[in-house]
């Protein structure tokens, strides 16, 4: 077990709160009909989304999913530019062209969220091939959902990464459902990490709602990949509290199940850890949450003040 | 049943009614797709069907589009009549091998031994703020493949009539549904034998001045523009090739002979879009000599669909674009 510094614990708590507040704001804006389109919220998944990114080194890369806000915040994206993108504004990460599902910060190693389920696996192989070829010593963290592991691209990518010894950590956020489908209906295994066996790579299943376990495991997996030993498959078991996307009646699950998972809330878990280990005082903990909250209010203000893109921009950036 | 009985229902409900009637009529019809069971499909098209037909016939699949369509091809070739739903047309990319290299060619390659009676339902189009990977109109790709049929209804009645025809057809039929049409409601015949024949272009409005050829959700915009133009005394004729392949050119050619002016419109990107094909067929036909003005193509910009609402709208033809194009054609002759 890796001893965590105060600084990293503080970052964990701050960023998980930031992700939560960001998504609560997104949810609110939709409920008021203020934003066009849709978004996928990962409220409840902040440990797997945020914390795994905190284990990255500077220069490492990440490929995100359609449910990527927490992943992006963990990776260090600026919530102002994220909110502006979500609102379709010119100052957003993608100049208003991508929206929630396509947030990216390519020059800083965030190769983008993906609207195609399973779309990130082979892109990550390519990004990892670049790292290996150029001997950068950097690793790619590839996020995906449980549902995505039934795409052929998952299997093809794990195989390729294994035989080519590519520096990738595949991080499966297993939130138990792909849209309305419980994993039990779509695969006969209980732990997705078992699929690593077919490719002879390490596979680990962890409590994806335990921030400390997520951090330590991903750090270990990244070290393994960085050492040139090839890919690792990490499965983080977690849960989303909200529906799949806007307008999901959630007929496929019940309130008790959601309530049970709320008991295992990753932010509360970390708070308890901080209190029990007396890392910070209650006042310090509250201050961190307040700061995170403030940053989201600022982000909204930034987004609202950002102009709409010029109509002529619709023709820009099709080609390099 | 009184065969003239009609009921008002949405486009979404009409597709469901058509599928339901066919599943009752023929138990070889099965239905596969992601979240089509208890969830009722991403757009609610299959809502409640699981209650009537159960899990034997309403098959929720893993997220595996290549395998959904490949399985449908294999099942169709061996005696079932599968319907598949691909959640967004954009993901037909995953299924292209099954569709293009297998399903479309099997009968021909095997010298007529097989048949592949299946329907691929494909929700398409922009206007929902879902951005570049969830908004495309890829019908031209499908029309380019000999062996596939491609249909696209614009009204609830067409939705019911065409889905039934597609299910009864002995070939792979791609059934393209525009997402903006799901909530449109209108009268639908309740007759269980109400079928809209595949391979027919529909005359949606008669007029003598200008011909507009369009399909999918643009048909509605063209109809609105025509109503507006009628007040100015311009009579627009609107033709809807609800079967995109094989396209019935006869009514289109006849209309152009009558009006001498034509606008061809679709939401899909202009380059390589079906508009080019339709225009080519018009100029290859007898209508060539009757053209009084250059043909206008209204189409999507050659760009991926952006997220921002204004940019998204700027990418595809709107009602105002139809009105302007009509004015341009009229003016080009006067001037
Ligand atoms: C190729 C493809 N198929 C279907 C969809 C529609 N879709 C979006 S998210 C989703 C469920 C994904 O499940 P999972 O991978 O478990 O991720 P989660 O949503 O649970 O985070 C589906 C079916 C899609 N975006 N891409
Ligand atoms: Mg999932």
């Amino acid at each position: 077990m890796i001893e965590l510094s105060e600084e990293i614990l503080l970052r964990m708590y701050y960023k998980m709160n930031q992700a939560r507040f960001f998504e609560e704001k997104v949810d609110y804006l939709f409920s008021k009909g203020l934003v066009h389109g849709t978004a996928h919220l990962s409220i409840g998944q902040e440990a797997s989304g945020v914390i795994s990114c905190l284990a990255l080194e500077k220069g490492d890369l990440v490929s995100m999913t359609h449910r990527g806000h927490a992943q992006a915040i963990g990776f260090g994206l600026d919530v102002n530019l994220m909110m502006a993108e979500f609102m379709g504004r010119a100052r957003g990460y993608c100049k208003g062209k991508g929206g929630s599902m396509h947030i990216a910060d390519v020059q800083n190693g965030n190769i983008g969220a993906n609207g195609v389920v399973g779309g990130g696996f082979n892109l990550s192989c390519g990004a990892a091939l670049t790292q290996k070829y150029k001997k950068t010593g950097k690793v790619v963290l590839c996020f995906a959902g449980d549902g995505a592991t039934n795409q052929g691209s998952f299997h093809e990518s794990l195989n390729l990464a294994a035989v080519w010894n590519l520096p990738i950590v595949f991080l499966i956020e297993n939130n138990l459902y792909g849209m309305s489908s419980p994993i039990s209906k779509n695969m006969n295994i209980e732990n997705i990490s078992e699929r690593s066996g077919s490719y002879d790579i390490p596979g680990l299943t962890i409590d994806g709602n335990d921030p400390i376990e997520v951090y330590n495991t991903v750090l270990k997996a990244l070290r393994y990949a960085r050492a040139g030993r090839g890919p690792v498959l990490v499965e983080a078991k977690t849960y989303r509290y909200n529906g799949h996307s806007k307008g999901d009646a959630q007929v496929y699950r019940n309130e008790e199940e959601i309530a049970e998972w709320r008991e295992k809330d990753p932010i509360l878990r970390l708070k308890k850890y901080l209190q029990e280990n007396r890392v910070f005082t209650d006042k310090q903990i509250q201050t961190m949450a307040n700061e995170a909250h403030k940053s989201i209010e600022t982000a909204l203000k930034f987004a609202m003040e950002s102009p709409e893109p010029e109509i002529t921009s619709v023709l820009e950036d099709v080609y390099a | 049943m009184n065969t003239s009985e009609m009921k008002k229902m949405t486009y979404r409900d009409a597709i469901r009614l058509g599928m339901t009637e066919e599943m009752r009529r023929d138990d070889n019809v099965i239905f596969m797709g992601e979240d089509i069971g208890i969830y009722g499909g991403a757009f609610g098209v299959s809502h409640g069907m699981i209650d009537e037909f159960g899990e034997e016939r309403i098959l929720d699949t893993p997220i595996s589009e290549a395998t959904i369509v490949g399985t449908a091809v294999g099942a169709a070739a061996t005696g079932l009549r599968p319907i598949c739903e691909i959640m967004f047309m954009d993901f037909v990319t995953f299924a292209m091998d099954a569709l293009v290299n297998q399903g479309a060619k099997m009968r021909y390659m095997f010298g007529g031994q097989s048949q592949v009676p299946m329907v691929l339902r494909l929700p398409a189009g922009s206007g929902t703020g879902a951005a570049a990977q969830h908004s495309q109109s890829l019908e031209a790709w499908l029309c380019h493949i000999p062996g596939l049929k491609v249909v696209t209804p614009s009204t609830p009645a067409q939705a019911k009539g065409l889905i039934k025809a597609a299910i009864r057809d002995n070939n792979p039929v791609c059934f393209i549904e525009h997402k903006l049409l799901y909530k449109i409601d209108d009268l639908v015949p309740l007759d269980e034998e109400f079928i809209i024949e595949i391979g027919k272009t529909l005359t949606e409005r008669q007029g003598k001045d200008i011909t507009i050829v369009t399909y999918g959700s643009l048909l509605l915009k063209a109809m609105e523009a025509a109503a507006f133009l009628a007040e100015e005394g311009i009579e627009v004729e609107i033709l809807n090739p609800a079967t995109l392949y094989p396209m019935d050119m006869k009514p289109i050619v006849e209309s152009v002979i009558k009006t001498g002016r034509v606008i061809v419109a679709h939401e899909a990107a202009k380059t390589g879009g079906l508009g080019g094909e339709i225009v080519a067929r018009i100029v290859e036909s007898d209508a060539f000599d009757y053209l009084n003005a250059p043909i206008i193509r209204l189409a999507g910009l050659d760009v991926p669909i952006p997220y921002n609402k204004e940019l998204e709208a700027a990418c595809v033809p709107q009602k105002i674009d139809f009105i302007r194009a009509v004015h341009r054609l009229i003016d080009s002759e006067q001037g």
Side-chain angles (χ1 to χ4, degrees):
Chain A
M1 163 128 178
I2 298 146
E3 275 295 320
L4 300 179
S5 68
E6 266 186 34
E7 190 213 330
I8 184 70
L9 288 168
L10 187 145
R11 280 216 296 159
M12 284 181 173
Y13 194 69
Y14 177 79
K15 293 218 171 222
M16 284 208 291
N17 273 286
Q18 211 180 19
R20 171 89 36 115
F21 291 132
F22 182 91
E23 294 205 307
E24 285 175 353
K25 188 62 83 183
V26 164
D27 198 25
Y28 169 80
L29 293 169
F30 274 129
S31 72
K32 292 279 166 203
L34 294 172
V35 182
H36 177 55
T38 191
H40 305 84
L41 304 181
S42 59
I43 298 178
Q45 299 184 196
E46 289 87 354
S48 58
V50 172
I51 303 299
S52 47
C53 287
L54 296 185
L56 294 167
E57 264 184 18
K58 198 169 161 45
D60 286 344
L61 295 94
V62 68
S63 161
M64 309 190 295
T65 66
H66 59 285
R67 201 176 299 289
H69 300 142
Q71 300 157 4
I73 288 172
F75 190 74
L77 265 65
D78 181 336
V79 289
N80 290 358
L81 305 187
M82 281 177 64
M83 191 65 87
E85 186 55 40
F86 168 67
M87 311 256 319
R89 301 303 168 98
R91 288 169 78 185
Y93 270 109
C94 312
K95 304 176 192 165
K97 284 181 172 148
S100 156
M101 239 187 314
H102 303 297
I103 285 173
D105 182 16
V106 176
Q107 65 173 1
N108 290 314
N110 186 314
I111 66 170
N114 210 311
V116 176
V117 170
F121 295 123
N122 32 34
L123 299 184
S124 296
C125 285
L129 178 63
T130 303
Q131 307 317 308
K132 189 180 170 192
Y133 186 85
K134 294 194 171 178
K135 303 189 173 58
T136 61
K138 301 304 173 194
V139 180
V140 181
L141 179 64
C142 171
F143 281 102
D146 46 286
T149 67
N150 290 325
Q151 286 285 27
S153 64
F154 170 76
H155 299 273
E156 295 177 23
S157 295
L158 258 65
N159 185 56
L160 189 84
V163 295
W164 285 6
N165 229 25
L166 297 176
I168 310 185
V169 173
F170 294 101
L171 195 126
I172 310 304
E173 290 187 85
N174 179 356
N175 60 9
L176 314 186
Y177 294 88
M179 220 153 151
S180 69
S181 310
I183 52 163
S184 59
K185 263 187 82 179
N186 285 338
M187 54 183 77
N188 284 347
I189 50 174
E190 200 169 312
N191 295 323
I192 295 171
S193 63
E194 288 171 37
R195 292 188 168 177
S196 63
S198 300
Y199 310 102
D200 194 25
I201 63 173
L204 305 157
T205 292
I206 58 170
D207 176 350
N209 274 21
D210 178 345
I212 310 292
E213 187 175 350
V214 171
Y215 186 82
N216 285 327
T217 308
V218 175
L219 195 64
K220 236 170 46 193
L222 288 166
R223 281 182 185 158
Y224 181 94
R226 204 181 306 283
R229 300 173 69 188
V232 181
L233 175 62
V234 179
E235 173 194 18
K237 292 231 161 86
T238 182
Y239 199 77
R240 60 166 159 78
Y241 303 154
N242 295 62
H244 167 73
S245 63
K246 203 174 76 173
D248 172 1
Q250 302 184 58
V251 289
Y252 50 86
R253 63 183 192 181
N254 57 42
E255 285 297 332
E256 292 82 74
E257 184 181 283
I258 303 172
E260 241 173 70
W261 277 92
R262 280 188 186 276
E263 293 287 307
K264 300 185 247 186
D265 185 85
I267 298 182
L268 294 180
R269 292 265 282 276
L270 185 62
K271 185 175 178 184
K272 209 162 142 223
Y273 176 93
L274 297 178
Q275 287 169 329
E276 281 171 1
N277 291 282
R278 300 181 193 286
V279 186
F280 301 110
T281 64
D282 282 358
K283 186 146 178 269
Q284 282 172 313
I285 293 171
Q286 190 54 47
T287 308
M288 283 187 276
N290 291 348
E291 290 293 318
H293 189 258
K294 247 193 347 222
S295 76
I296 300 306
E297 294 302 331
T298 308
L300 183 61
K301 189 159 175 288
F302 175 90
M304 298 287 235
E305 286 168 1
S306 167
E308 295 280 341
E310 296 287 343
I311 284 290
T312 51
S313 74
V314 77
L315 296 171
E316 294 165 4
D317 294 325
V318 179
Y319 296 99
Chain B
M1 181 190 298
N2 175 355
T3 51
S4 62
E5 212 182 318
M6 305 273 266
K7 190 177 164 203
K8 205 166 177 170
M9 69 179 78
T10 61
Y11 182 91
R12 160 193 289 136
D13 291 349
I15 300 171
R16 182 188 317 117
L17 178 61
M19 291 196 292
T20 301
E21 287 176 3
E22 292 307 301
M23 288 186 74
R24 286 179 190 150
R25 196 179 64 85
D26 179 354
D27 31 295
N28 283 325
V29 180
I30 58 159
F31 182 14
M32 309 193 277
E34 293 159 14
D35 303 282
I36 62 170
I38 183 173
Y39 195 87
F43 300 101
V45 175
S46 56
H47 183 79
M49 288 179 75
I50 185 106
D51 300 330
E52 176 169 355
F53 300 107
E55 291 187 359
E56 290 257 303
R57 297 182 70 193
I58 306 290
L59 295 135
D60 262 330
T61 66
I63 306 172
S64 310
E65 288 82 4
T67 294
I68 296 170
V69 179
T71 302
V73 172
T78 51
L80 298 184
R81 305 185 79 85
I83 306 168
C84 322
E85 176 177 300
I86 296 289
M87 201 178 284
F88 288 81
M89 181 183 209
D90 309 68
F91 312 137
V92 75
T93 50
F94 285 81
M96 280 308 221
D97 178 66
L99 193 62
V100 174
N101 291 327
Q102 313 294 345
K105 298 177 169 52
M106 203 174 263
R107 180 176 183 81
Y108 188 83
M109 286 189 301
F110 298 160
Q113 294 181 74
S114 335
Q115 62 178 29
V116 183
M118 59 176 278
V119 179
L120 194 57
R121 289 190 31 242
L122 301 163
S126 66
T128 63
Q133 295 175 333
H134 288 76
S135 302
Q136 296 169 87
S137 299
L138 302 171
E139 64 273 13
W141 283 6
L142 304 171
C143 291
H144 191 61
I145 305 302
L148 299 181
K149 294 186 181 182
V150 184
V151 301
T152 188
S154 295
T155 66
Q158 289 168 17
K160 181 186 171 197
L162 279 170
I163 192 75
K164 287 169 70 80
I167 295 167
R168 294 185 189 189
D169 199 282
N170 285 331
N171 300 284
V173 180
C174 301
F175 183 92
I176 303 174
E177 308 165 12
H178 199 293
K179 284 165 275 178
L180 294 184
L181 296 174
Y182 283 130
K183 288 188 185 153
I184 300 281
D185 63 0
D186 204 352
L187 291 173
V188 173
L190 293 180
D191 179 0
E192 287 171 16
E193 287 306 310
F194 168 73
I195 298 276
I196 293 184
E197 207 185 316
I198 293 181
K200 286 279 176 244
T201 289
L202 310 172
T203 302
E204 303 279 358
R205 181 187 174 101
Q206 296 195 323
K208 59 175 177 30
D209 297 323
I210 286 194
T211 302
I212 294 180
V213 182
T214 194
Y215 56 86
S217 76
L218 279 199
L219 177 69
L220 272 59
K221 293 179 188 170
M223 294 292 273
E224 285 173 22
F228 176 87
L229 290 158
E231 290 181 16
E232 295 181 358
I234 302 170
E235 289 304 329
V236 176
E237 180 144 297
I238 301 185
L239 294 169
N240 168 17
T243 297
L244 296 172
Y245 194 90
M247 196 181 291
D248 170 21
M249 286 302 295
K250 196 162 168 270
I252 298 174
V253 169
E254 285 169 1
S255 176
V256 177
I257 288 175
K258 178 168 74 177
T259 64
R261 308 177 182 104
V262 58
I263 295 166
V264 178
H266 52 63
E267 181 177 320
K270 189 170 194 173
T271 303
L274 274 185
E277 180 65 27
I278 297 171
V279 169
R281 287 182 187 247
I282 292 170
V283 299
E284 282 174 344
S285 78
D286 293 343
F288 178 73
D289 289 330
Y290 294 83
L291 285 171
N292 293 327
I295 298 174
I296 292 183
R297 269 194 294 165
L298 290 178
L301 298 179
D302 286 344
V303 303
I305 303 289
Y307 170 71
N308 176 278
K309 195 174 181 177
E310 306 299 323
L311 297 190
E312 183 186 29
C315 281
V316 300
Q318 305 295 338
K319 172 180 159 189
I320 183 74
D321 299 308
F322 281 101
I323 294 171
R324 287 197 184 121
V326 167
H327 285 159
R328 230 165 80 208
L329 279 183
I330 302 266
D331 294 348
S332 76
E333 264 175 89
Q334 287 166 350

